[in-house]
């Protein structure tokens, strides 16, 4: 048994890692992903702490065996990876030695068991201990907070690629593997089903026997298809996730299969046994017997008899699950504990060498590598795409095949998102050729479901509508080549059903197109719900217009305490009597059956009025039927246009794709940036020009610092003086000009025109103003300059770069 | 009244005039020809216009039962009369006549629009029955008292009112008063009422309106109270224990009992009477409560019974409907087939088939009905037994309670007798301390007199108790008998109706088939 159960740890690791890594490493991961569900090893996912789980899942790093250069090196630039990827720290070296020692002892003590999966090679071909490939990380996406959506995310990212040798994990020592293909489903499934059926057979009545025989035949067929039972049963190795009970209200431990994101009970038959477990802290070997799958395993990792730990580390032998959980919970505590325990314990797990995983919102939305993922099932294939990846909005397609080789397509289901025409799901049955389109609310024609075999008009089709959106309350319209049936709801005239029979189209000699030559209507049947405001005898339940026969049949609603209902039939043929006068109405034109004979309905006048009314109604009904036909044409045209255009809508909150929002956001960013620039300017570094003269990167010497300070001060002094001089110069220039002007005025005063004089006077007053201002500025500058100088000096003394050196001199 | 036709002779509203008017105003063209051919019954007429005809007296309208609109304007009518039968009338125009008083409208409960303008009316009244009145035109009349407006407050649907050219319209306050007192009015004298003006008027008359509202509210409350009490009494009567929830019966025993009242002034009788009354009332209350409970039980029983019966009938009906529908589907196909068939023997064969189908349907429906009749009969019998038992038990228990009353009375009688005789002895011995009224003292002449007096009082009391008991027993027995009778009768009516319906339907089907036969034979 044990032998059977053994193994492939690497695969598991690989999966983990893949989960952790994002797009760049996608390739490698694919390799590692593995196969059937026969399983062995476990990484411990302590508890449910989703945070934990999530951290773990996201944090796993891949280690790749060197010999198997699965990783497409060209895609991973090893040189860009942090140094921790390509080297081992002393502590890690130590750990590897410990692991090696552990592994030797293990193989010595348990020679029957498969070698441990301890130190796979990473992408840089450096051996790393598996636990150090795990790095708990908290991601900013709420979807990753709970195990189910988180594992779904991971499984979306993983792609399954069969191992070359399903029996051998890619480990250094066992490099060569024979390429071998195998089918996915274990036969175990089959047998058990069969047994169940045997059981059922005994219990079931004879009447079920036929059914049973049918199923048996199917079983046989399946069995044939499947060929022989899986020869690898129990030999395959798999990695999966164990979530231990305790934290975050997880009532009991369970497994998660990383490839499918399904959770399984620990008692599930698919899991044949566990070889070893690890988390980011420690590594445990299962010492329990797995004769009955995992059903009787006890997941108390603190029990050294059942679980042989590798490191004494943080996990004390008597450690209970909850304690373990707490440890896992808090990284800070962990680190503290680590520090403490290092002193008294022999060895502790070194921190993870893996870089922290970063998932951008883009990548998160893309989910799968390149935004596309194909999952193959027995007789079915599921393809997934990221939203907006396909320009027709396709996000998912399920293809169901008839045979195992997936050559004959049975049906296709396509899911769409963000389509402008609100198309949500397209279901195509390849056998019957039936297409069914489903729409979300919001289609311009209120369409909900459209099923058809052909987009040509007047063919078999069913359209269902969101009746609350439609003014006429139409729920459904069914068409065949010669009929159209409409179902209504919630109408004020209580119409609930209208059925139209068409006759064959009459060929017209004129060159009219199909639209002006509609199919002739033979019969219109309309049904009405009970109108409580009318007595039953006057409330029509059904009326039939036999258009060709010129007859109208009415059936009234049944009275509460009766079993028969009144009927009336009108012959609307217009006839002429012997004298050539038109017969308006004769008693035989209306045949009535009345449950309770009434007097006024016997009157010809009443019958005549009813008939006139019905004739008008008939015209109306024909018109409405004709409009329905037009509407069908219109919808078909619209659908074709929509299918051709397949426009996608973009939410206004989607600032990445929505152009307007994008512009707005960019404008906002620009404003922010400018604001920032202004702030930076205001905080100009007064020492920068002087520091720039010094050789970069070197520390200041005291001498340099003092010189720096002096230079800065003298420079500032010079600038103050320059400024004073500038003001002085302007002042003098202005004064001189004024004097000149005054002189000129005195000389030419006699000849000046009044305008010139005005000009001169205004110039004088302005010049005087300027002079006064300049005078004030100069005075003020003189006053302030020493203060400014002192302020700078003070600042320099306090400058962090200079303070050490300058202080001494002060 | 300077009308041009005043000079003409008054005309009589006779049958001829009405017939001419009906035909003139009836359907036209093709429908008119039909109408002429068949004649129009007065009771089918919905609207009639009889204006400018110099009519003096409204007459001969009793046949127009379904008339909804009647125009009698511009005549010389002096009294509103002869409209009692026109209960569906919605629209009545009597303007430009010589009417002096509003009358004769008490049956026209559906009237919504009433025009009485240009008459000689002085007082608005006699309109109480017109609860749906929306439009009232009283322009150009003699209405002089503004208090007439208050009368109009009771018409909650009234929206349009015309009172112009009346003496009251001259009054300064006229509009304000109407705005204030008729707050739901929308149009007055052909104008929409301005909201601001209405608010202002309301403020002005706030005080008196509030007072009036208060009075009206009190009145309404009192009416409702009375109604509730009447209802309660009705309920008690249904349980046959009315007025047993108090000392009513006890008081009634003494109300006609002269001697008893006289004796009550004897020393010690007061207390005796007090305890007697208390005990008596307690028994009455017991009867009352027991009666209510029993009534509830009986009603529950009846409800259950009715529900079950209805369910059974409905289910049977559904089955019948289903059979009929199925038959009709098949029958229709058969008829179509016959119409298209050209071979005579084939036609005959199919006709016979159809005929058989009809017979089958008849049998099936009748069987269903017979089943139902049997089921119902059995159920009704069970119910009859149960309800009779319940009534019997009720009577028995009430009688035993009544017997307790009698025992009390007998006991009381003995005590009284004792006291009376003691008193007599005292009086005879002249040991009587207290003074007795003269009429009481008159009883204490000798032993016979006093014993007779006490005995008479006792007899009256027993009689009252007996009467009440009889009343109750008779009441409940007759209720029970009526109920059962009604149930049996209803079942019979139902059965007859269904049988008639089935026969009618089958006859129709058969005759349709026969017609087809004839038609075909003729065709051929």
């Amino acid at each position: 048994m044990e032998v059977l159960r053994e193994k492939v740890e690497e695969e598991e690791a690989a999966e983990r890692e893949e989960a952790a890594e994002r797009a760049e490493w996608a390739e490698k991961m694919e390799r590692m992903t593995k196969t059937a569900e026969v399983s062995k090893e476990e990484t411990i996912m302590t508890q449910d702490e989703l945070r934990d789980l999530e951290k773990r899942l996201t944090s796993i790093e891949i280690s790749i065996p060197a010999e198997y250069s699965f990783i497409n090196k060209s895609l991973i630039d090893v040189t860009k990876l942090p140094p921790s990827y390509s080297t081992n720290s002393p502590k890690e070296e130590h750990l590897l030695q410990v692991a090696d020692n552990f592994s030797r002892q293990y193989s010595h003590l348990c020679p029957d068991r498969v070698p441990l999966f301890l130190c796979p090679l990473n992408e840089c071909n450096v051996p790393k201990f598996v636990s150090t490939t795990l790095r708990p990380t908290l991601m900013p996406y709420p979807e990753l907070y709970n195990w189910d959506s988180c594992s779904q995310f991971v499984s979306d990212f993983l792609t399954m690629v069969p191992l070359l040798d399903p029996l051998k994990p890619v480990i250094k020592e066992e490099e060569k593997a024979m390429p071998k293909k195998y089918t996915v489903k274990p036969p175990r499934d089959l047998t058990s089903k069969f047994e169940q059926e045997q059981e059922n057979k005994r219990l079931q009545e004879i009447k079920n026997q036929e059914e049973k025989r049918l199923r048996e035949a199917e079983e046989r067929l399946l069995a044939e298809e499947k060929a022989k039972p899986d020869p690898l049963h129990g030999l395959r190795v798999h990695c999966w996730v164990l979530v231990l009970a305790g934290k975050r209200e997880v009532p009991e431990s369970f497994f998660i299969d990383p490839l499918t994101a399904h959770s399984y009970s620990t008692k599930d038959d698919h899991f044949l046994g566990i070889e070893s477990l690890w988390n980011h802290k420690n590594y445990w070997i299962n010492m329990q017997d797995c004769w009955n799958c995992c059903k009787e395993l006890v997941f108390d990792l603190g029990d050294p008899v059942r679980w042989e730990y590798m490191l004494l580390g943080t996990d004390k032998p008597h450690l209970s699950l909850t304690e373990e959980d707490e440890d896992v919970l808090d990284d800070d505590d962990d680190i503290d504990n680590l520090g403490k325990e290092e002193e008294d314990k022999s060895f502790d797990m070194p921190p993870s060498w893996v870089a922290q995983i970063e998932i951008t919102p883009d990548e998160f939305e893309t989910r799968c590598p390149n935004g596309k993922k194909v999952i193959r099932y027995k007789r079915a294939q599921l393809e997934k795409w990221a939203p907006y990846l396909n320009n027709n909005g396709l996000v998912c397609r399920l293809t169901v095949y008839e045979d195992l080789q997936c050559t004959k397509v049975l049906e296709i289901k396509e899911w769409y998102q963000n389509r402008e025409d609100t198309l949500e799901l397209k279901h195509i049955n390849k056998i019957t050729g039936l297409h069914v389109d489903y729409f979300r609310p919001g289609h311009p024609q209120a369409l909900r479901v459209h099923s058809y075999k052909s987009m040509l008009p007047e063919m078999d089709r069913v359209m269902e509508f969101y009746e609350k959106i439609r003014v006429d309350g139409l729920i459904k319209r069914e068409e065949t080549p010669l009929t159209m049936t409409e179902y209504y709801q919630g109408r004020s005239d209580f119409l609930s059903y209208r059925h139209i029979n068409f006759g064959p189209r009459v060929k017209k000699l004129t060159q009219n197109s199909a639209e002006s030559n509609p199919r002739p209507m033979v019969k219109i049947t309309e049904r009405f719900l009970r109108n409580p405001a009318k007595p039953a005898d006057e409330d029509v339940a059904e009326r039939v217009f036999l258009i060709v026969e010129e007859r109208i049949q009415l059936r009234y609603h049944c009275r509460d305490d009766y079993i028969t209902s009144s009927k009336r039939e009108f012959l609307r043929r217009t006839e002429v009597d012997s004298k050539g006068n038109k017969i308006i109405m004769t008693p035989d034109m209306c045949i009535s059956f009345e449950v309770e004979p009434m007097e006024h309905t016997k009157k010809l006048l009443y019958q005549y009025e009813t008939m006139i009314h019905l004739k008008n109604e008939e015209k109306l009904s024909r018109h409405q039927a004709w409009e329905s036909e037009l509407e069908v044409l219109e919808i078909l045209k619209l659908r074709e246009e929509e299918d051709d255009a397949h426009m996608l809508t973009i939410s206004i909150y989607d600032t990445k794709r929505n152009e307007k929002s994008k512009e707005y956001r960019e404008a906002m960013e620009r404003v922010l940036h400018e604001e920032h620039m202004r702030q930076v300017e205001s905080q100009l570094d007064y020492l920068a020009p002087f520091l720039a003269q010094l050789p970069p990167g070197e520390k200041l010497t005291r001498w340099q610092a003092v010189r720096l300070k002096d230079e800065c001060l003298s420079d500032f002094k010079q600038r103050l003086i320059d400024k004073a001089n500038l003001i002085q110069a302007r002042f003098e220039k202005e004064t001189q000009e004024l004097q000149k002007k005054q002189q000129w005025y005195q000389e030419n005063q006699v000849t000046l025109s009044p305008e010139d004089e005005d000009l001169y006077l205004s110039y004088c007053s302005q010049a005087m103003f300027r002079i006064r201002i300049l005078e004030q500025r100069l005075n003020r500058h003189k006053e302030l300059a020493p203060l400014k100088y002192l302020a700078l000096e003070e600042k320099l003394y306090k400058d962090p770069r200079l303070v050490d050196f300058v202080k001494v001199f002060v | 009244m300077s009308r041009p036709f005043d000079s003409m002779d008054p005309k009589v509203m006779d049958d001829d005039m009405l017939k001419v008017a009906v035909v003139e105003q009836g359907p036209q063209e093709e429908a008119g020809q039909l109408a002429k051919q068949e004649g129009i019954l007065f009771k089918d007429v919905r609207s009639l216009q009889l204006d400018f005809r110099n009519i003096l007296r409204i007459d001969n309208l009793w046949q127009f039962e379904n008339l909804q609109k009647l125009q009698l304007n511009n005549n010389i009518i002096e009294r509103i009369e002869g409209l009692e039968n026109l209960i569906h009338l919605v629209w009545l125009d009597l303007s430009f006549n010589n009417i002096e008083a509003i009358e004769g409208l008490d049956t026209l409960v559906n009237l919504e629009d009433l025009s009485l303008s240009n008459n000689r009316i002085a007082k608005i009244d006699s309109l109480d029955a017109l609860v749906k009145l929306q439009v009232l035109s009283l322009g150009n009349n003699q209405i002089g008292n503004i208090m007439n407006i208050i009368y109009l407050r009771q018409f909650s649907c009234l929206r349009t009112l015309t009172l112009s050219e009346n003496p009251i319209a001259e009054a300064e306050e006229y509009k304000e008063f109407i705005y204030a007192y008729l707050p739901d009015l929308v149009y007055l004298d052909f104008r929409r009422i301005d909201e601001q003006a209405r608010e202002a008027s309301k403020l002005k008359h706030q005080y008196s309106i509030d007072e009036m509202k208060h009075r009206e509210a009190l009145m309404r409350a009192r009416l409702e109270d009375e109604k509730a009490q009447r209802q309660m009494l009705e309920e008690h009567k249904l349980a046959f224990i009315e007025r047993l929830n108090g000392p009513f019966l006890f008081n009634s025993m003494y109300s006609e009992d002269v001697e008893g009242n006289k004796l009550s002034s004897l020393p010690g009788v007061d207390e005796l009477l007090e305890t007697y009354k208390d005990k008596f009332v307690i028994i009455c209350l017991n009867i009352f409560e027991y009666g209510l409970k029993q009534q509830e039980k009986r009603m529950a029983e009846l409800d259950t019974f009715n529900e079950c019966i209805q369910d059974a009938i409905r289910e049977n009906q559904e089955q019948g409907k289903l059979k009929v529908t199925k038959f009709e589907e098949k029958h229709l196909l058969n008829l179509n087939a016959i119409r298209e068939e050209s071979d005579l023997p084939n036609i005959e064969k199919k006709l016979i088939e159809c005929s058989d189908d009809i017979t089958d349907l008849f049998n099936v429906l009748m069987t269903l009905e017979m089943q139902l009749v049997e089921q119902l009969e059995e159920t009704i019998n069970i119910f009859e037994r149960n309800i009779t038992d319940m009534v019997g038990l009720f009577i028995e228990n009430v009688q035993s309670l009544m017997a307790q009353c009698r025992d009390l009375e007998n006991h009381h009688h003995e005590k009284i007798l004792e006291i009376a005789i003691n008193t007599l002895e005292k009086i005879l011995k002249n040991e009587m301390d207290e003074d007795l009224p003269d009429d009481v003292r008159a009883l204490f002449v000798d032993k016979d007199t006093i014993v007779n007096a006490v005995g008479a009082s006792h007899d009256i009391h027993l009689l009252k108790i007996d009467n009440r008991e009889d009343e109750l027993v008779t009441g409940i027995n007759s209720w029970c008998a009526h109920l059962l009778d009604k149930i049996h009768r209803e079942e019979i009516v139902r059965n007859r109706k269904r049988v008639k319906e089935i026969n009618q339907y089958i006859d129709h089907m058969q005759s349709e088939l026969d017609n087809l036969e004839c038609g075909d034979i003729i065709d051929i």
Side-chain angles (χ1 to χ4, degrees), chain A residues 267-278:
Chain A
K267 310 223 178 330
D268 195 280
D269 285 340
H270 287 116
F271 298 89
L272 300 180
I274 295 175
E275 199 73 18
S276 59
L277 295 178
W278 74 86

Side-chain angles (χ1 to χ4, degrees), chain A residues 598-646:
Chain A
M598 283 179 293
E599 212 178 311
H600 73 279
T601 57
K602 291 263 187 302
K603 290 234 171 193
L604 280 181
L605 181 59
Y606 171 84
Q607 295 172 357
Y608 172 78
E609 278 170 353
T610 313
M611 193 166 85
I612 295 295
H613 175 70
L614 284 172
K615 277 184 181 172
N616 290 332
E617 291 285 307
E618 182 180 326
K619 257 183 227 158
L620 267 179
S621 292
R622 289 171 66 166
H623 181 75
Q624 267 160 8
W626 175 72
E627 278 190 343
S628 293
E629 284 188 89
L630 283 193
E631 190 188 283
V632 171
L633 291 178
E634 203 180 308
I635 292 176
L636 290 181
K637 198 168 145 224
L638 181 69
R639 283 294 305 128
E640 250 165 50
E641 280 167 12
E642 283 168 349
D643 266 346
D644 290 345
H646 48 67

Side-chain angles (χ1 to χ4, degrees), chain A residues 782-798:
Chain A
K782 280 177 184 164
E783 234 171 73
L784 286 181
L787 295 178
K788 281 185 181 168
Y789 182 81
L790 287 175
L792 179 65
E793 194 173 22
E794 172 106 13
K795 243 187 196 169
L796 286 177
Y797 277 131
K798 288 185 181 159

Side-chain angles (χ1 to χ4, degrees), chain A residues 560-561 563-564 604 608, chain B residues 30 38 317 328 497-498 501:
Chain A
D560 280 349
D561 45 355
I563 55 172
T564 56
L604 280 181
Y608 172 78
Chain B
E30 294 189 342
E38 290 185 304
Q317 227 167 274
E328 278 190 359
K497 208 165 83 176
R498 176 59 38 83
E501 185 193 356

Side-chain angles (χ1 to χ4, degrees), chain B residues 111-128:
Chain B
L111 204 60
E112 289 173 8
D113 188 324
L114 175 62
S115 180
L116 289 164
S117 54
N118 294 69
N119 279 293
R120 298 171 191 165
I121 295 163
K123 187 164 186 268
I124 310 178
D125 64 354
S126 304
L127 293 171
D128 304 56

